[in-house]
Amino acid sequence: MSKNQINGNSKVYFDCNATAPILKDACQAALWSMERVYANPSSSHIAGAEAKLILEESRLQASKLLNVKSSEIYFTSGATEAIQISVLSVLNWIKEQSKKDVSFQKKKILISKTEHKAVYNSILHWKKILDLNIEIMQINVDDKGHVNLNEIKEYLNETVFLCTMAVNNETGLITNLKEIEKIIRSSASKVFWLVDCVQALGKLSLNFNELSVDYATFSGHKVHAPKGVGFLYLRDNAPQCSLIVGGGQERGIRAGTENHPGIAAFGVILEKLNKIKDGCIDFHFKSNHELLNYRKLLLNTLMEAFPTIEINTDMENSVATTLNFSVYGFSSKELMRVFDAAGVSLSGGSACNSKSLEYSHVLEAMNLPEWRKASAIRLSFGLTTSQEEIFLGIKNIQAAGKALRNSCLNLTCKISDESENQSENSLIHGITQLEYDSSNTWLISDINTKSCVIIDPTFESIDRLISFIKCKNLELQAVLDTHSHADHLSARSILLEKLSLKDTAFDPLGWNSQTCILNFNSSTWELERFETPGHTLDSVSYFLKNKCSIDEKIECVFIGDTVLIGGLGRTDFSISDNKLFYDTLRNLDNKLHANTVLCPAHDYNQSIVTTWGTEKRNNILLKKLFDPVNLMNEIDFFTEKKLIDSQLLETDIQGKLVCGTINNSVLTDKSLPIITIDDLDENIYDIIDIRENAESILFKDWKILNFKKAPKNIPLTKIVNFFNHVINNENKNKPIALLCSTGNRSLAIAKSLRRIGIKNVWSISGGLALTRLKYENSINY
Ligand code: PLP
């Protein structure tokens, strides 16, 4: 089986705005350059002259396409470098002028808020390096992303440098360059104008004989040429400054031996675009009409597959190849994983780092509602995308939509009749952890009695909880908080209201049993309320007891902010009490055993859950408190706790209150618990797929990847049940190998299990991505 067969059968690539696949003809040109025309274009022998010819032919094609002189084209390593040269040239010119006593005090550099980061960061960088005192003004855009022309007009007389883009890389929006030109060229003062044309090449006609752009930047890998090649159009007479000096290549602007294979390949693409411009048909490149038709098909499919979709792209004013959208109820990350599992590669509009959510600056500038920013996805196909790929994409998108609907986490959830989900019950039964921005919401559901309880609901989890409860026909028995919050109200009442349920609780935290036991109609578990004041005066913990075990063992404790993973809840609020906190920790120790799983209200360092024994071993203050040799007295505890709290940040970078200390150094096992796919024996290891169920059921390539059968699926959101099982059966377990799409999520779980003392657990390095790559390599070489 060939590499293409695998890719062609199941996967479709819709991330061409990031990098487009390289056209075969371009590959061949690069190969020819490497195998046959490999001489240095600066050498004076015939071989060198041949290489130079190819270089100049590519330059000629670029100049022809833009209707400019070939001497105005400079090859670079890509658009980012071309942007640096433009910015450095203008800023250096400003510096030179300042030396001649020209004042730039009131002058401005204008840049649209939706420019690629390369432009803004480059301006900041060179301004700092050149020590310039000139204001950078970011121009606002409207909710569709169009730059505010009035702002350009307003600042026109003070503007020296204007940076705009022809097409936005995230939304596909086309900028009306003619309108901007009209404005800036109406001024008596000279404005240097940079237009980032990376996403416009091949999609819009660009004629710089009729548009007074001074600098324009282009990149090969966005138009089916390789990475590492691009070019700059630099208008004659516009300021120029060398970025790299050396052997004088590219007329001294960008020295260094040229990337000849890359330029040769780019030349082939430029030549094709010129032919199309001249009216010829190229069978590889689709016409705009065809591309628009593709977009329509994809849009219709998306609307059907995801009924809560909102389109972020201004369809009337965009290139045909980009579709930016959001699906209510899902984060970009969740959607991307499901698309990935369904065989559709696309891009998330927001990035999530370990501590916070970072939204796209483009969508931020458009001032979209929070959920649309958090859920944004960019689908981008290329100029050479085939109809077969579009049809495969449609099939895979439909499958992704169905899987999400069946997962019941979709807000328009409907279990389809032909549900492929065999293990649905196991997905409902037990503890589910929903995490948003380091805050945990816990759901305990009993499939036998269809009853459930929610603990510590966050506002972000409300819609998802409601969808799950309704979809699975669960009866909500109680909504509990572990404490009142210092900075906000509980989400409890809104949740109940949205479910049209009456609040029957006896206390403000939602407890609705007259005793300290809540038998929430479950045949398996009961909850015991246990007062744990300290972090706040009203803090309580809820013990989850298994009614079937002889000693009614506490399996888990929902411990709120009293004990965090690697830390303790802060006790410096006006509603805190250090003395009570000291007693609480001692009382807890009398109740809990080492293997009791702690489910806290926060998970600040992606450790998922912990155990009481682990915290007593690793948590510095707890360790001292329970040191059997040197028992810590109350006074010493207060002093140390006060010191720890005084070192706490009041709020995190998003302005949210930090609820306790986290000491990462307590993560004892520093070695990476990873195993490569080559070392994995299915007979020896218990392989567990920890992706969410929707991802798992979409994946069909197990046999192709040499797995005898699909591994057991325990989604990350249900992994706490697995922790519970593993910790109590440690010696009976086979070694465990965890699998996800890229190896990140499985590594977090493996580390967490190691942290609680499970030695024989591993994350499969590189996940399914690496497994697939290795397999494809093995059949190709
Ligand atoms: N400008 C835009 C609009 C882009 O989309 C990109 C690539 O993401 C760049 C600039 C940077 O291009 P390169 O990767 O060639 O440096």
Side-chain angles (χ1 to χ4, degrees):
M1 192 180 300
S2 78
K3 192 187 303 191
N4 283 347
Q5 258 177 303
I6 290 186
N7 281 335
N9 273 345
S10 56
K11 295 204 90 169
V12 59
Y13 181 81
F14 284 157
D15 197 15
C16 291
N17 285 10
T19 283
I22 307 175
L23 196 72
K24 195 128 199 153
D25 291 1
C27 286
Q28 267 159 359
L31 207 60
W32 194 61
S33 152
M34 289 189 280
E35 287 178 349
R36 163 68 183 83
V37 204
Y38 47 76
N40 191 322
S42 298
S43 296
S44 45
H45 39 65
I46 293 180
E50 283 176 345
K52 178 98 179 155
L53 266 177
I54 291 177
L55 204 75
E56 292 314 316
E57 176 55 27
S58 295
R59 199 185 312 277
L60 210 63
Q61 294 296 343
S63 63
K64 188 176 166 213
L65 193 63
L66 305 180
N67 205 3
V68 298
K69 287 186 254 169
S70 67
S71 60
E72 292 173 311
I73 302 293
Y74 298 82
F75 284 111
T76 62
S77 68
T80 301
E81 190 180 293
I83 289 165
Q84 305 296 307
I85 300 174
S86 318
V87 169
L88 173 63
S89 295
V90 177
L91 268 59
N92 185 57
W93 176 85
I94 296 173
K95 179 90 184 171
E96 293 296 321
Q97 296 298 306
S98 318
K99 282 188 204 155
K100 294 180 203 158
D101 284 342
V102 180
S103 169
F104 286 87
Q105 277 251 306
K106 294 207 173 106
K107 297 288 184 187
K108 291 180 172 55
I109 294 170
L110 295 198
I111 167 168
S112 130
K113 273 194 175 166
T114 52
E115 286 312 285
H116 192 275
K117 286 280 181 213
V119 180
Y120 185 65
N121 287 339
S122 160
I123 295 172
L124 284 185
H125 174 74
W126 290 110
K127 180 176 175 265
K128 186 170 158 210
I129 297 285
L130 293 169
D131 194 20
L132 286 186
N133 183 15
I134 185 165
E135 188 184 350
I136 305 168
M137 217 39 239
Q138 287 190 275
I139 317 196
N140 288 306
V141 298
D142 65 16
D143 59 356
K144 290 183 170 159
H146 298 276
V147 279
N148 186 331
L149 298 178
N150 288 333
E151 282 185 33
I152 300 183
K153 276 183 204 152
E154 191 182 335
Y155 302 112
L156 188 58
N157 290 335
E158 295 131 59
T159 303
V160 188
F161 188 25
L162 170 68
C163 304
T164 56
M165 69 202 311
V167 170
N168 187 274
N169 48 309
E170 292 191 30
T171 60
L173 185 82
I174 300 169
T175 305
N176 191 335
L177 297 174
K178 271 282 164 207
E179 280 280 331
I180 293 179
E181 182 186 47
K182 241 192 271 166
I183 296 168
I184 60 171
R185 298 310 178 211
S186 68
S187 158
S189 61
K190 174 74 190 159
V191 176
F192 297 113
W193 188 16
L194 162 66
V195 180
D196 178 350
C197 294
V198 168
Q199 300 289 349
L201 190 63
K203 297 165 197 164
L204 296 181
S205 101
L206 296 163
N207 181 348
F208 294 152
N209 197 23
E210 291 176 359
L211 194 74
S212 58
V213 167
D214 297 292
Y215 306 88
T217 54
F218 299 88
S219 176
H221 70 113
K222 311 289 183 174
V223 278
H224 309 282
K227 298 173 190 66
V229 61
F231 67 86
L232 167 69
Y233 158 69
L234 196 165
R235 185 181 285 278
D236 277 350
N237 304 326
Q240 340 188 321
C241 180
S242 302
L243 178 70
I244 306 173
V245 293
Q249 291 90 342
E250 295 304 299
R251 289 186 302 292
I253 290 284
R254 193 268 185 208
T257 303
E258 300 86 347
N259 168 9
H260 194 272
I263 295 173
F266 203 176
V268 167
I269 303 289
L270 294 166
E271 187 185 352
K272 282 179 183 292
L273 294 178
N274 270 315
K275 284 193 179 148
I276 293 167
K277 187 174 134 189
D278 291 343
C280 301
I281 290 176
D282 185 294
F283 292 106
H284 295 295
F285 284 74
K286 302 291 171 295
S287 69
N288 199 42
H289 176 73
E290 284 170 295
L291 296 173
L292 281 170
N293 202 24
Y294 287 174
R295 182 172 77 168
K296 199 165 149 199
L297 289 170
L298 289 168
L299 181 66
N300 290 344
T301 309
L302 285 165
M303 306 265 256
E304 240 175 67
F306 305 99
T308 56
I309 198 168
E310 283 281 342
I311 306 299
N312 304 323
T313 289
D314 176 3
M315 303 294 279
E316 308 286 295
N317 297 294
S318 300
V319 290
T321 44
T322 308
L323 254 176
N324 195 306
F325 60 89
S326 307
V327 179
Y328 184 61
F330 291 95
S331 69
S332 298
K333 196 165 75 178
E334 288 167 325
L335 288 168
M336 268 189 65
R337 284 172 176 165
V338 173
F339 278 118
D340 225 0
V344 188
S345 305
L346 25 70
S347 218
S350 67
C352 191
N353 65 33
S354 61
K355 293 266 181 304
S356 70
L357 258 185
E358 238 174 64
Y359 299 139
S360 136
H361 73 282
V362 175
L363 306 184
E364 286 269 25
M366 287 160 66
N367 216 359
L368 293 189
E370 190 82 5
W371 78 264
R372 273 169 73 180
K373 289 185 289 192
S375 161
I377 290 286
R378 177 186 70 187
L379 183 160
S380 56
F381 50 92
L383 299 170
T384 65
T385 301
S386 67
Q387 195 171 57
E388 290 75 49
E389 284 171 283
I390 296 294
F391 287 155
L392 177 61
I394 288 174
K395 195 172 127 237
N396 292 356
I397 290 169
Q398 285 166 339
K402 187 174 140 195
L404 269 190
R405 284 195 299 279
N406 284 346
S407 77
C408 271
L409 295 177
N410 194 325
L411 304 179
T412 52
C413 141
K414 226 187 284 146
I415 297 281
S416 87
D417 294 339
E418 63 295 27
S419 168
E420 296 164 46
N421 201 346
Q422 303 303 318
S423 55
E424 206 195 294
N425 283 355
S426 70
L427 289 169
I428 306 169
H429 198 66
I431 304 168
T432 304
Q433 179 180 17
L434 297 178
E435 194 234 303
Y436 287 93
D437 242 352
S438 311
S439 295
N440 284 324
T441 295
W442 302 97
L443 172 78
I444 313 160
S445 12
D446 186 335
I447 189 61
N448 305 314
T449 56
K450 292 258 175 194
S451 53
C452 69
V453 170
I454 291 167
I455 298 176
D456 283 333
T458 56
F459 288 98
E460 293 86 347
S461 65
I462 290 180
D463 288 337
R464 190 164 285 199
L465 288 165
I466 292 173
S467 161
F468 192 79
I469 288 168
K470 284 191 174 168
C471 182
K472 302 290 185 196
N473 250 331
L474 297 176
E475 212 169 299
L476 181 60
Q477 303 285 335
V479 183
L480 306 172
D481 282 304
T482 50
H483 57 289
S484 55
H485 305 279
D487 60 337
H488 64 269
L489 288 173
S490 161
R492 222 179 108 242
S493 51
I494 296 182
L495 179 61
L496 289 170
E497 199 180 302
K498 282 200 171 187
L499 281 165
S500 309
L501 293 176
K502 261 212 199 122
D503 192 350
T504 53
F506 300 130
D507 77 3
L509 298 180
W511 190 254
N512 58 5
S513 163
Q514 275 172 325
T515 68
C516 64
I517 300 292
L518 180 70
N519 186 342
F520 58 95
N521 196 26
S522 163
S523 53
T524 319
W525 302 290
E526 64 187 20
L527 279 172
E528 181 184 337
R529 182 180 183 278
F530 187 72
E531 292 193 356
T532 46
H535 171 65
T536 62
L537 292 173
D538 62 356
S539 287
V540 291
S541 294
Y542 302 108
F543 299 156
L544 186 70
K545 290 182 164 181
N546 193 329
K547 294 202 282 195
C548 310
S549 77
I550 315 151
D551 53 355
E552 287 211 6
K553 223 174 85 189
I554 300 173
E555 285 192 355
C556 295
V557 50
F558 300 91
I559 199 155
D561 286 344
T562 298
V563 179
L564 298 170
I565 309 171
L568 290 174
R570 64 195 297 169
T571 42
D572 58 349
F573 298 134
S574 59
I575 48 168
S576 302
D577 188 312
N578 244 332
K579 157 95 180 72
L580 293 175
F581 193 62
Y582 175 88
D583 295 338
T584 282
L585 295 174
R586 292 223 175 273
N587 294 342
L588 277 172
D589 196 44
N590 289 333
K591 285 277 185 181
L592 307 179
H593 55 94
N595 283 353
T596 306
V597 172
L598 310 187
C599 300
H602 290 285
D603 178 12
Y604 286 117
N605 51 18
Q606 271 91 58
S607 294
I608 303 152
V609 287
T610 185
T611 62
W612 181 241
T614 308
E615 292 314 307
K616 276 175 69 181
R617 257 193 327 273
N618 294 342
N619 187 320
I620 295 163
L621 195 50
L622 280 187
K623 197 172 170 176
K624 285 188 190 169
L625 185 65
F626 295 112
D627 182 346
V629 184
N630 268 324
L631 263 192
M632 192 179 210
N633 65 33
E634 269 186 6
I635 307 292
D636 289 347
F637 177 83
F638 299 159
T639 315
E640 209 152 312
K641 184 74 176 59
K642 247 191 179 154
L643 182 70
I644 292 172
D645 284 348
S646 71
Q647 290 159 352
L648 259 178
L649 284 176
E650 261 304 300
T651 55
D652 66 11
I653 42 176
Q654 289 187 320
K656 282 195 182 160
L657 200 71
V658 174
C659 293
T661 46
I662 301 301
N663 187 347
N664 273 316
S665 66
V666 297
L667 300 174
T668 45
D669 192 350
K670 294 278 190 288
S671 62
L672 285 184
I674 51 177
I675 185 170
T676 65
I677 192 75
D678 300 332
D679 296 331
L680 194 69
D681 182 338
E682 270 180 275
N683 299 319
I684 296 178
Y685 287 85
D686 252 344
I687 304 177
I688 299 193
D689 173 8
I690 60 89
R691 295 173 304 158
E692 288 313 306
N693 185 250
E695 296 170 71
S696 186
I697 55 173
L698 281 166
F699 194 81
K700 308 258 187 289
D701 291 346
W702 299 112
K703 289 240 161 63
I704 299 177
L705 299 182
N706 267 346
F707 280 76
K708 288 194 202 87
K709 57 178 182 3
K712 187 170 181 196
N713 176 221
I714 304 179
L716 180 53
T717 41
K718 304 275 315 188
I719 208 80
V720 57
N721 306 284
F722 180 64
F723 272 59
N724 213 347
H725 167 80
V726 174
I727 191 93
N728 289 307
N729 291 279
E730 204 197 337
N731 300 325
K732 294 180 224 148
N733 287 323
K734 278 164 75 176
I736 298 161
L738 304 168
L739 181 68
C740 69
S741 37
T742 59
N744 288 337
R745 284 176 282 174
S746 56
L747 182 60
I749 297 176
K751 277 187 183 172
S752 191
L753 278 164
R754 288 281 180 111
R755 187 178 176 274
I756 63 168
I758 308 298
K759 298 276 177 313
N760 229 341
V761 59
W762 311 89
S763 159
I764 301 177
S765 174
L768 286 165
L770 193 64
T771 313
R772 177 186 278 272
L773 208 56
K774 280 208 167 183
Y775 178 69
E776 286 174 18
N777 266 338
S778 73
I779 53 173
N780 275 279
Y781 300 109

Short mmCIF file of all heavy atoms in Angstrom, two decimals, residues 166-184:
data_model
loop_
_atom_site.label_atom_id
_atom_site.label_comp_id
_atom_site.label_asym_id
_atom_site.label_seq_id
_atom_site.Cartn_x
_atom_site.Cartn_y
_atom_site.Cartn_z
N ALA A 166 -3.25 42.16 1.90
CA ALA A 166 -4.19 42.03 0.78
C ALA A 166 -5.31 41.07 1.15
O ALA A 166 -6.48 41.33 0.87
CB ALA A 166 -3.45 41.54 -0.45
N VAL A 167 -4.95 39.95 1.78
CA VAL A 167 -5.95 38.96 2.20
C VAL A 167 -5.58 38.47 3.59
O VAL A 167 -4.41 38.17 3.85
CB VAL A 167 -5.98 37.76 1.21
CG1 VAL A 167 -6.84 36.62 1.76
CG2 VAL A 167 -6.51 38.18 -0.15
N ASN A 168 -6.55 38.40 4.46
CA ASN A 168 -6.26 37.95 5.82
C ASN A 168 -6.11 36.43 5.87
O ASN A 168 -6.93 35.70 5.31
CB ASN A 168 -7.36 38.40 6.79
CG ASN A 168 -6.99 38.08 8.21
OD1 ASN A 168 -7.23 36.97 8.68
ND2 ASN A 168 -6.35 39.01 8.88
N ASN A 169 -5.07 36.00 6.56
CA ASN A 169 -4.77 34.56 6.60
C ASN A 169 -5.76 33.77 7.44
O ASN A 169 -5.93 32.58 7.24
CB ASN A 169 -3.35 34.32 7.10
CG ASN A 169 -3.03 35.09 8.35
OD1 ASN A 169 -3.24 36.29 8.40
ND2 ASN A 169 -2.55 34.43 9.38
N GLU A 170 -6.45 34.40 8.38
CA GLU A 170 -7.35 33.64 9.25
C GLU A 170 -8.79 33.62 8.75
O GLU A 170 -9.50 32.64 8.93
CB GLU A 170 -7.31 34.20 10.67
CG GLU A 170 -5.96 33.95 11.31
CD GLU A 170 -5.93 34.25 12.78
OE1 GLU A 170 -6.98 34.11 13.43
OE2 GLU A 170 -4.87 34.63 13.27
N THR A 171 -9.21 34.75 8.17
CA THR A 171 -10.61 34.81 7.74
C THR A 171 -10.77 34.80 6.22
O THR A 171 -11.87 34.58 5.71
CB THR A 171 -11.28 36.11 8.25
OG1 THR A 171 -10.55 37.21 7.71
CG2 THR A 171 -11.26 36.18 9.76
N GLY A 172 -9.70 35.07 5.49
CA GLY A 172 -9.77 35.12 4.04
C GLY A 172 -10.29 36.46 3.52
O GLY A 172 -10.48 36.63 2.31
N LEU A 173 -10.51 37.41 4.41
CA LEU A 173 -11.07 38.71 4.01
C LEU A 173 -10.14 39.46 3.06
O LEU A 173 -8.93 39.54 3.30
CB LEU A 173 -11.29 39.58 5.26
CG LEU A 173 -11.99 40.91 4.97
CD1 LEU A 173 -13.49 40.70 4.89
CD2 LEU A 173 -11.65 41.94 6.02
N ILE A 174 -10.73 40.01 2.00
CA ILE A 174 -9.95 40.78 1.02
C ILE A 174 -9.98 42.26 1.43
O ILE A 174 -11.04 42.81 1.71
CB ILE A 174 -10.56 40.64 -0.40
CG1 ILE A 174 -10.55 39.15 -0.81
CG2 ILE A 174 -9.82 41.50 -1.40
CD1 ILE A 174 -11.36 38.86 -2.07
N THR A 175 -8.80 42.87 1.48
CA THR A 175 -8.75 44.30 1.80
C THR A 175 -8.94 45.09 0.51
O THR A 175 -8.36 44.74 -0.53
CB THR A 175 -7.37 44.66 2.41
OG1 THR A 175 -7.15 43.82 3.52
CG2 THR A 175 -7.30 46.11 2.83
N ASN A 176 -9.71 46.16 0.60
CA ASN A 176 -9.90 47.00 -0.57
C ASN A 176 -8.70 47.94 -0.70
O ASN A 176 -8.67 49.05 -0.18
CB ASN A 176 -11.21 47.79 -0.43
CG ASN A 176 -11.59 48.48 -1.72
OD1 ASN A 176 -10.72 48.76 -2.55
ND2 ASN A 176 -12.87 48.72 -1.90
N LEU A 177 -7.67 47.46 -1.41
CA LEU A 177 -6.42 48.22 -1.50
C LEU A 177 -6.60 49.51 -2.29
O LEU A 177 -5.97 50.53 -2.00
CB LEU A 177 -5.33 47.35 -2.12
CG LEU A 177 -4.93 46.09 -1.32
CD1 LEU A 177 -3.95 45.24 -2.09
CD2 LEU A 177 -4.35 46.45 0.05
N LYS A 178 -7.46 49.48 -3.29
CA LYS A 178 -7.69 50.68 -4.12
C LYS A 178 -8.23 51.84 -3.28
O LYS A 178 -7.81 52.98 -3.42
CB LYS A 178 -8.68 50.35 -5.25
CG LYS A 178 -8.00 49.83 -6.51
CD LYS A 178 -7.39 50.99 -7.30
CE LYS A 178 -6.37 50.51 -8.34
NZ LYS A 178 -5.37 51.50 -8.66
N GLU A 179 -9.15 51.49 -2.37
CA GLU A 179 -9.72 52.51 -1.47
C GLU A 179 -8.63 53.12 -0.60
O GLU A 179 -8.58 54.33 -0.40
CB GLU A 179 -10.76 51.86 -0.54
CG GLU A 179 -12.11 51.63 -1.15
CD GLU A 179 -12.95 52.89 -1.17
OE1 GLU A 179 -12.75 53.74 -0.29
OE2 GLU A 179 -13.78 53.01 -2.09
N ILE A 180 -7.78 52.25 -0.08
CA ILE A 180 -6.72 52.72 0.80
C ILE A 180 -5.75 53.60 0.01
O ILE A 180 -5.33 54.66 0.47
CB ILE A 180 -5.99 51.52 1.45
CG1 ILE A 180 -6.93 50.81 2.41
CG2 ILE A 180 -4.71 51.96 2.15
CD1 ILE A 180 -6.38 49.60 3.10
N GLU A 181 -5.45 53.15 -1.20
CA GLU A 181 -4.54 53.94 -2.03
C GLU A 181 -5.09 55.34 -2.26
O GLU A 181 -4.38 56.33 -2.15
CB GLU A 181 -4.32 53.23 -3.38
CG GLU A 181 -3.33 53.99 -4.26
CD GLU A 181 -3.21 53.40 -5.65
OE1 GLU A 181 -4.27 53.12 -6.25
OE2 GLU A 181 -2.08 53.23 -6.12
N LYS A 182 -6.41 55.38 -2.56
CA LYS A 182 -7.04 56.68 -2.83
C LYS A 182 -6.81 57.61 -1.64
O LYS A 182 -6.49 58.79 -1.80
CB LYS A 182 -8.55 56.48 -3.03
CG LYS A 182 -9.02 56.92 -4.41
CD LYS A 182 -10.51 56.99 -4.49
CE LYS A 182 -11.14 55.66 -4.91
NZ LYS A 182 -12.56 55.57 -4.69
N ILE A 183 -6.97 57.08 -0.45
CA ILE A 183 -6.83 57.91 0.75
C ILE A 183 -5.38 58.34 0.94
O ILE A 183 -5.08 59.53 1.07
CB ILE A 183 -7.30 57.13 2.01
CG1 ILE A 183 -8.78 56.83 1.90
CG2 ILE A 183 -7.00 57.92 3.28
CD1 ILE A 183 -9.29 55.85 2.93
N ILE A 184 -4.47 57.38 0.92
CA ILE A 184 -3.09 57.75 1.30
C ILE A 184 -2.39 58.57 0.22
O ILE A 184 -1.52 59.37 0.53
CB ILE A 184 -2.22 56.54 1.70
CG1 ILE A 184 -2.08 55.52 0.57
CG2 ILE A 184 -2.74 55.86 2.96
CD1 ILE A 184 -1.04 54.43 0.88
#
